[in-house]
Amino acid sequence: MASTIFNIQSPDLSLFSCMATPRILLCGDVLGRLNQLFKRVSTVNKSAGPFDALLCVGQFFPDSLERVDEFNEFIEGRSQIPLPTYFIGDFGVGAAKVLLAASRDFANQGFKMDGLKICHNLYWLKGSGRFTLHGLSVAYLSGKHSSDAQQFGVYSQDDVDALRAIAEEPGVVDIFLTNEWPTGVTNRASPSDIPPGISDSFGSDSTIAELVAEIKPRYHIAGSKGVYYAREPYSNIDAVHITRFLGLASVGNKEKQKFIHAISPTPASKMSAAEISMKSTNTTLSPYSLAQDFQQTVHADAAKRSNDSVSDSQYWRYDVSQKRQKHGAGDGHKMCFKYVSSGSCPRGEKCHFQHDMDARDQYLKGVCFDFINKGKCERGPDCNFKHSFQKEDDSYSNRRRGSENATNNRSKECWFCLSSPNVESHLIVSIGENIYCALAKGPLVQDHVLVIPVEHLSNTFSLPPECEIDLGRFQNSLKKYYSEQGKEVVFFEWVSKRSTHANIQAIPVPSSRAAAAQNVFNLAAKKLGFSFVAKKVSNYSDGRNYLRTQFDRNFSFYYVELPDGTILSHLVEENEIFPAQFGREVLAGLLNMADRADWRSCTYSKEEETKMAEEFKSRFQAFDPNE
């Protein structure tokens, strides 16, 4: 048996007959109740142990001043912690004092991804990282999501970016620890298994969902919701192993929900291919399949590049010279992982980290991001990337610079590039990492919006994976928003060979007229002398994959996504006349608004447009994926 989950209330002692696998206890929010926690741990350890370690998620420190003395009994050594304990919930009463002292301790200086020692048998997993615990690969994100800048208790974009770098490294992560639940984890789960009162928005974090979809751990452990929830295992895209999500209640909760759990997994590194790919009969589809469908790794080509090192004089990370091309506000010498790994950053000038083309070049040559960013890598010899800067490839460098300069010049003239002086920013109603949403100029109807990639691309089929994920989120959010108003939505994109910046139009139509949309589009197509190819799909991912099979970059292309899941597409021949306003004109006919078919006859003053945008933002706020 490769991996076993068991109930510690009535343990099966036969499970412990094999001493090869580590035995790990997991705990939810401790809230400073160390007496109650370790009394329970000691009992379990005697009856079903010995266990190798205890991992705690959710708030570890007290939730009130009354528990500080009890907590300090253990921190100051007057009470004993029975086994090695690791925690990530670095917030609560007294946290700052304890953690600041630990940070200043000489023994904790340097890189300590395997935990900063607080006292005997107690270790703080700071920020984010990955380490090996009794053969198990453990990744973690400490703190909780917050826009407030605090020293302790919250995680930063730096922490998230570091985890994304970890996700690209080879090897399966056995355990992933987070304080908060991921948005969407209850999707595709059996409704009868979901605890009462659990909503996908309460205490959930979309960033965690994105990370877990990228990391694909075998076990994901979270706290902070105050309930126990063991989700059915789910399969992963682009990975053969399954993932189990476990949410744990808080220590001493009044509802007596389970706050401690035990697992005994064989490390993935020691499992055979057959063992790690085994699936139980209750395995479901991934709740994050939208995110996983478009995952790619940016290191695929990096490992093939040059191994030559450079002299100390080339340590440009510390040399703010003219050859460095920086963008963004900058944060010392820290690099933006988004820019270094992908070549672009949607935050642009608002980014707090360096956008360095030299760093980007080194990254593409296989140099470790941590080494580029910090001058040192925590993983040392275990890292699979290079820890020395590589020689400059002049031809490659010049080609990259020329390409980026051309893109910059093009984006300055583009109406949809956020960096362009021509962009009508007052119409923008939501900005995401890779996609933004704006009201249409001269809208056909109220709430007529455009969904636009931040990156300057001629069509949405050229989107990188992270953009595709955000696109799906925006479209789903708009569907929910329009549905609340008793409306459906029609999406369409016109991809001309002369297109400059991709955009998808979203036009709401009353539910009573939505069913007639397909017939109206087919009639309009017949008048122009062509027929749509129709395809019914069940979800966003299948639809996008299907459209890619229809798209040919050598031709213009038009498609419509109808409310019932039907996709109409048409590949436009070289000499075929196809009106650029086709979709708008068809929907104007459907809605009996022939006088609004031309957007130029529906323009408003800037003041009116600004007011419309503010009103839309107010209505859309509850549905906005970026809120």
Side-chain angles (χ1 to χ4, degrees), residues 301-308 358-367 386 388-394 396-397:
D301 296 327
K304 302 176 184 178
R305 297 184 179 271
S306 168
N307 231 349
D308 300 329
D358 290 333
R360 166 80 172 147
D361 286 344
Q362 290 292 325
Y363 184 78
L364 289 172
K365 290 186 171 87
V367 179
K386 301 169 187 173
S388 62
F389 293 113
Q390 306 300 294
K391 287 182 179 179
E392 190 76 33
D393 180 343
D394 291 333
Y396 172 78
S397 234

Side-chain angles (χ1 to χ4, degrees), residues 99-117 126 376:
L99 300 179
L100 190 60
S103 300
R104 291 173 175 170
D105 189 328
F106 180 77
N108 287 330
Q109 297 300 304
F111 297 110
K112 295 285 184 179
M113 294 182 76
D114 56 348
L116 276 65
K117 186 174 182 179
K126 179 183 179 183
K376 185 175 182 179

Side-chain angles (χ1 to χ4, degrees), residues 263 342 364 397 465-466 518 572:
I263 59 174
S342 69
L364 289 172
S397 234
E466 59 271 23
Q518 184 169 354
V572 182

Side-chain angles (χ1 to χ4, degrees), residues 471-490:
L471 176 60
R473 287 201 194 94
F474 263 111
Q475 290 195 216
N476 286 331
S477 296
L478 287 169
K479 288 178 182 178
K480 293 176 182 177
Y481 168 69
Y482 293 133
S483 179
E484 285 289 310
Q485 303 174 20
K487 298 177 181 177
E488 306 285 351
V489 59
V490 175

Side-chain angles (χ1 to χ4, degrees), residues 442-449 487 507-509 584 591 593 596:
L444 174 62
V445 294
Q446 179 180 292
D447 294 347
H448 175 181
V449 302
K487 298 177 181 177
I507 299 180
V509 298
R584 182 186 177 115
L591 300 173
M593 294 180 173
R596 299 185 67 84

Side-chain angles (χ1 to χ4, degrees), residues 55-202:
L55 305 178
C56 299
V57 295
Q59 182 174 337
F60 187 76
F61 286 83
D63 57 349
S64 67
L65 288 170
E66 288 75 15
R67 300 195 183 279
V68 171
D69 290 342
E70 173 190 336
F71 190 84
N72 287 337
E73 284 289 315
F74 290 88
I75 300 301
E76 295 168 5
R78 293 186 291 277
S79 296
Q80 298 302 308
I81 298 174
L83 80 168
T85 299
Y86 300 79
F87 70 90
I88 59 171
D90 48 356
F91 50 94
V93 178
K97 179 181 178 181
V98 172
L99 300 179
L100 190 60
S103 300
R104 291 173 175 170
D105 189 328
F106 180 77
N108 287 330
Q109 297 300 304
F111 297 110
K112 295 285 184 179
M113 294 182 76
D114 56 348
L116 276 65
K117 186 174 182 179
I118 302 296
C119 62
H120 177 66
N121 268 351
L122 184 62
Y123 302 90
W124 167 35
L125 299 175
K126 179 183 179 183
S128 66
R130 179 177 177 179
F131 68 105
T132 301
L133 180 66
H134 297 283
L136 296 168
S137 174
V138 180
Y140 58 88
L141 181 64
S142 191
K144 54 187 177 180
H145 177 73
S146 175
S147 57
D148 296 331
Q150 301 175 26
Q151 186 169 10
F152 305 115
V154 301
Y155 59 79
S156 67
Q157 186 62 40
D158 235 4
D159 297 322
V160 173
D161 288 344
L163 272 183
R164 288 202 161 107
I166 285 172
E168 294 169 0
E169 296 179 0
V172 176
V173 171
D174 292 299
I175 302 173
F176 181 36
L177 307 175
T178 65
N179 291 308
E180 295 167 309
W181 288 32
T183 300
V185 70
T186 57
N187 291 349
R188 292 174 172 168
S190 172
S192 61
D193 293 336
I194 301 173
I198 287 297
S199 80
D200 205 32
S201 58
F202 172 70

Side-chain angles (χ1 to χ4, degrees), residues 364-376:
L364 289 172
K365 290 186 171 87
V367 179
C368 168
F369 176 74
D370 279 347
F371 181 79
I372 294 171
N373 196 34
K374 304 172 183 176
K376 185 175 182 179

Side-chain angles (χ1 to χ4, degrees), residues 177-286:
L177 307 175
T178 65
N179 291 308
E180 295 167 309
W181 288 32
T183 300
V185 70
T186 57
N187 291 349
R188 292 174 172 168
S190 172
S192 61
D193 293 336
I194 301 173
I198 287 297
S199 80
D200 205 32
S201 58
F202 172 70
S204 300
D205 188 349
S206 59
T207 301
I208 303 297
E210 293 169 9
L211 286 171
V212 77
E214 293 178 41
I215 294 172
K216 302 177 181 65
R218 293 171 61 210
Y219 295 86
H220 178 199
I221 317 299
S224 301
K225 275 202 175 184
V227 297
Y228 170 74
Y229 174 50
R231 191 198 188 281
E232 296 169 323
Y234 62 84
S235 58
N236 289 290
I237 305 299
D238 296 331
V240 297
H241 64 275
I242 61 173
T243 295
R244 301 175 188 270
F245 172 80
L246 186 69
L248 292 168
S250 57
V251 174
N253 66 90
K254 294 180 181 179
E255 294 77 18
K256 299 188 181 301
Q257 294 209 38
K258 190 174 180 182
F259 64 81
I260 196 166
H261 191 83
I263 59 174
S264 181
T266 300
S269 60
K270 297 181 180 179
M271 296 171 68
S272 68
E275 287 176 322
I276 202 166
S277 62
M278 287 180 63
K279 294 178 173 60
S280 57
T281 55
N282 63 335
T283 299
T284 71
L285 294 174
S286 169

